[in-house]
């Protein structure tokens, strides 16, 4: 037997070599959907974007509140004011002290001074200014909501790929265990043949086997570290503590159950669901509203204004004569309608043109987003077809290799086979298993990216499924 052919193959598995996984009491088993849902719940990136959405909604509430009592404020003032120095020979009543020229402010006898002032302005007709601001704020919330969905798509896709990567590592680990067992059997067989004096084996075979074993162990360390990186990356994505080890609950890496539809179907879905397009549409509507707001400055705004003031200082007397005003005592109320118009029409025209230019900018961005989305969808669609073809080819090749291996094993058991052919069959079968898992990983990732390109990945995950 020439075990070196088999040993040389061991190095071809590369990162698939690995560790016996230590089970921990803190192992967390999650399905793919559970993993994606958890990522959407705890992702700080997503929460940061949601905070901006909350800000936009609060701004929308503020815009709606401005429809009534645009200006409604109370202002108070509290100080000390002078009392009155009334001559002893005063003959006027306290309501006619203004007729006595000898009455003076007495700053040596100050009194508490209090003043309350209320101002209220209610717009009655603004030529679309208020309604335009409200519409712009509402569409602003849609812009931020689309931004939140965009981040959710990114988080879900990244988490899904990390999950598949961990599953791939798990699959290669199982394959590596088989490889390790074959290596051990090969060493035992070489030692046995050397002890029996078999002329087909010599010390060179044993030395090469030992050299191969060292290279294998080096690859094992490399694979272990890559496996830890994959597991750590997914744990970080889910904000799990270091003491918790995540374990895919769906078993070996397997192709997603997915039926590819015609390209036009995905293009239509993307037009309706991609957040970039939704964001641009909402932004365009908001800019349209702001054009109306700028244009409203051409016309006079009708408003109702009310203001009232109450002032009181102890020790002073009200003078009912309407021509007499005491700043330390009195009350007033004014109410009426008014118009407000900016007469600098040159500035108004410039503001309208600015608003139109910003609207046009967003319109061009919308068209650019559509074209980019169509390209991304088509690219993702064709990548799925490529990955699907590769997976089918790997699957058929693996089936053929199993048949080949089975035939060689039967021939070997009947002393009709060739040892070299059996080794080649084993080597090819193990290598094709590794390539098959890589093809499954590429296919699942391609499907995931197509769901993201279409813009339905996060929606499906929240509904509890990956693909519809």
């Amino acid at each position: 037997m020439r075990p070196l052919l088999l040993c040389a193959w061991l190095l071809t598995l590369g990162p698939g070599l690995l560790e016996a996984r230590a089970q921990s009491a803190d192992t967390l088993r999650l399905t793919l959907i559970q993993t994606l849902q958890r990522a959407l719940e705890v992702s700080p990136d997503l929460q940061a974007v949601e905070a901006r959405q909350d800000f936009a909604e609060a701004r929308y509430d503020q815009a709606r509140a401005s429809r009534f009592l645009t200006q409604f404020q109370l202002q108070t003032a509290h100080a000390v004011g002078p009392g009155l120095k009334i001559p002893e020979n005063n003959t006027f009543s306290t309501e006619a002290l203004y007729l006595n020229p000898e009455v003076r402010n007495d700053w040596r006898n100050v009194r508490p001074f209090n003043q309350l002032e209320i101002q209220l302005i209610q717009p009655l007709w603004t030529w679309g200014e208020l309604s335009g601001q409200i519409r712009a704020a509402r569409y602003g919330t849609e812009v931020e909501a689309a931004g939140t969905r965009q981040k959710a798509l990114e988080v879900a896709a990244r988490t899904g790929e990390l999950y598949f990567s961990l599953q791939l590592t798990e699959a290669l680990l199982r394959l590596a265990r088989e490889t390790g067992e074959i290596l051990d059997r090969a060493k035992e067989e070489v030692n046995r043949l050397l002890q029996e004096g078999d002329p087909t084996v010599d010390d060179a075979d044993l030395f090469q086997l030992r050299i191969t074993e060292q290279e294998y162990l080096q690859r094992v360390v490399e694979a272990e570290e890559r496996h830890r990186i994959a597991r750590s990356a997914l744990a970080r994505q889910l904000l799990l503590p270091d003491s918790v080890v995540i374990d895919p609950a769906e078993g070996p890496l397997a192709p997603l159950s997915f039926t590819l539809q015609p390209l036009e179907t995905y293009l239509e879905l993307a037009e309706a669901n991609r957040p970039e397009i939704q964001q641009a549409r909402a932004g365009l509507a908001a800019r349209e509203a702001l054009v109306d707001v700028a244009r409203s400055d051409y016309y006079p705004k009708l408003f109702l204004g009310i203001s009232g003031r109450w002032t009181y200082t102890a020790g002073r007397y009200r003078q009912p004569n309407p021509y007499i005003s005491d700043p330390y005592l009195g009350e007033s109320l004014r109410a009426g309608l008014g118009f407000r118009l900016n007469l600098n029409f040159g500035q108004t025209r410039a503001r309208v043109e600015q608003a139109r230019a910003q609207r046009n900018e967003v319109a061009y961005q919308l068209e650019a987003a559509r074209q980019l989305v169509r390209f991304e969808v088509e690219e993702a669609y064709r990548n799925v077809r490529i990955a699907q073809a590769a997976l089918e080819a790997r699957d058929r090749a693996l089936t053929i290799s199993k048949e080949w291996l089975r035939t060689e094993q039967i021939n070997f058991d009947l002393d009709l086979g060739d040892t070299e052919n059996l080794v080649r069959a084993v080597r090819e079968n193990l290598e094709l298993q590794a390539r098959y898992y890589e093809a499954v990983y590429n296919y699942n990732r391609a499907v995931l990216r197509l769901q993201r390109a279409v813009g339905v990945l996060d929606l499906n995950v929240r509904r509890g499924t990956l693909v519809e």
Side-chain angles (χ1 to χ4, degrees), residues 73-135:
Q73 62 183 16
L74 168 66
Q75 178 175 315
T76 68
H78 308 279
V80 293
L84 289 178
K85 180 187 292 184
I86 303 175
E88 295 180 355
N89 58 353
N90 175 52
T91 59
F92 297 96
S93 66
T94 56
E95 295 181 349
L97 289 176
Y98 65 94
L99 296 176
N100 188 343
E102 299 299 327
V103 175
R104 295 286 187 275
N105 288 327
D106 185 3
W107 286 101
R108 293 178 299 179
N109 184 22
V110 295
R111 305 294 181 87
F113 167 83
N114 296 283
Q115 178 176 287
L116 284 74
E117 185 173 4
I118 296 177
Q119 292 186 337
L120 180 154
I121 293 179
Q122 171 59 51
L124 300 178
W125 189 258
T126 62
W127 297 93
E129 181 182 11
L130 286 179
S131 60
Q133 290 175 344
I134 293 172
R135 289 202 315 275

Side-chain angles (χ1 to χ4, degrees), residues 72-370:
F72 186 31
Q73 62 183 16
L74 168 66
Q75 178 175 315
T76 68
H78 308 279
V80 293
L84 289 178
K85 180 187 292 184
I86 303 175
E88 295 180 355
N89 58 353
N90 175 52
T91 59
F92 297 96
S93 66
T94 56
E95 295 181 349
L97 289 176
Y98 65 94
L99 296 176
N100 188 343
E102 299 299 327
V103 175
R104 295 286 187 275
N105 288 327
D106 185 3
W107 286 101
R108 293 178 299 179
N109 184 22
V110 295
R111 305 294 181 87
F113 167 83
N114 296 283
Q115 178 176 287
L116 284 74
E117 185 173 4
I118 296 177
Q119 292 186 337
L120 180 154
I121 293 179
Q122 171 59 51
L124 300 178
W125 189 258
T126 62
W127 297 93
E129 181 182 11
L130 286 179
S131 60
Q133 290 175 344
I134 293 172
R135 289 202 315 275
R138 178 167 62 83
Y139 289 122
T141 63
E142 295 182 9
V143 169
E144 296 300 334
T148 301
R149 282 210 54 231
Q150 187 176 353
K151 180 60 69 175
L153 278 174
E154 178 184 330
V155 170
R158 182 170 63 243
T159 306
E161 292 191 15
L162 290 174
Y163 190 91
F164 292 142
S165 178
L166 184 57
Q167 276 191 309
L168 173 63
T169 307
E170 296 283 345
L172 293 178
L173 290 182
R174 289 189 291 273
L175 197 56
R177 294 192 189 100
E178 299 178 18
T179 304
E181 293 172 358
I182 293 174
L183 179 60
D184 292 338
R185 290 200 300 270
K187 287 172 59 181
E188 293 175 358
E189 183 66 12
V190 169
N191 286 324
R192 186 183 64 81
L193 294 175
L194 285 175
Q195 292 175 359
E196 293 177 353
D198 191 319
T200 62
V201 179
D202 54 24
D203 290 337
D205 292 332
L206 183 59
F207 282 118
Q208 290 189 31
L209 183 60
R210 293 172 61 186
I211 292 173
T212 302
E213 183 181 27
Q214 293 304 313
E215 295 180 2
Y216 167 78
L217 294 176
Q218 183 267 328
R219 294 294 183 88
V220 167
V221 173
E222 178 182 345
E224 288 176 346
E225 295 305 318
R226 290 185 178 181
H227 174 66
R228 291 191 180 98
I229 291 173
R231 192 166 56 191
S232 175
L234 186 55
R236 298 296 179 195
Q237 184 68 45
L238 301 182
L239 298 184
L240 295 176
D242 294 339
S243 59
V244 176
V245 176
I246 187 169
D247 183 29
E250 296 182 325
L253 180 62
L256 290 173
S257 178
F258 176 70
T259 303
L260 190 63
Q261 302 295 325
L263 175 59
E264 288 302 322
T265 301
Y266 296 110
L267 291 175
E268 293 175 0
L269 284 173
E271 179 71 20
N273 294 284
R274 272 296 289 264
E276 290 87 343
I277 294 179
Q278 296 173 344
Q279 200 170 34
R281 284 176 180 160
L284 180 60
R287 290 300 180 185
E288 292 280 4
L290 291 178
V291 170
D292 294 338
V293 172
R295 192 185 295 118
S296 69
D297 284 346
Y298 282 123
Y299 310 101
K301 315 291 176 55
L302 176 64
F303 64 90
L304 169 66
I306 299 175
S307 65
R309 176 182 295 176
W310 177 81
T311 306
Y312 178 76
T313 303
R316 301 183 73 93
Y317 304 99
R318 178 176 177 274
Q319 306 301 297
N321 190 313
Y323 292 98
I324 301 301
S325 176
D326 183 354
Y328 297 101
L329 182 68
E331 56 190 21
S332 64
L333 176 64
R334 293 180 295 177
L337 301 176
F339 289 97
R340 185 181 58 199
L341 177 63
N342 184 3
L343 298 178
N344 192 328
F345 294 106
Q347 291 183 355
T348 300
R349 184 167 53 253
R351 284 195 291 271
V352 171
E353 292 303 320
Q354 290 175 19
R356 286 173 174 167
Q358 291 176 328
R359 178 201 56 191
N360 294 338
E361 178 186 1
V362 178
Y364 296 137
Q365 290 175 345
L366 173 59
E367 183 58 29
R370 281 200 175 103

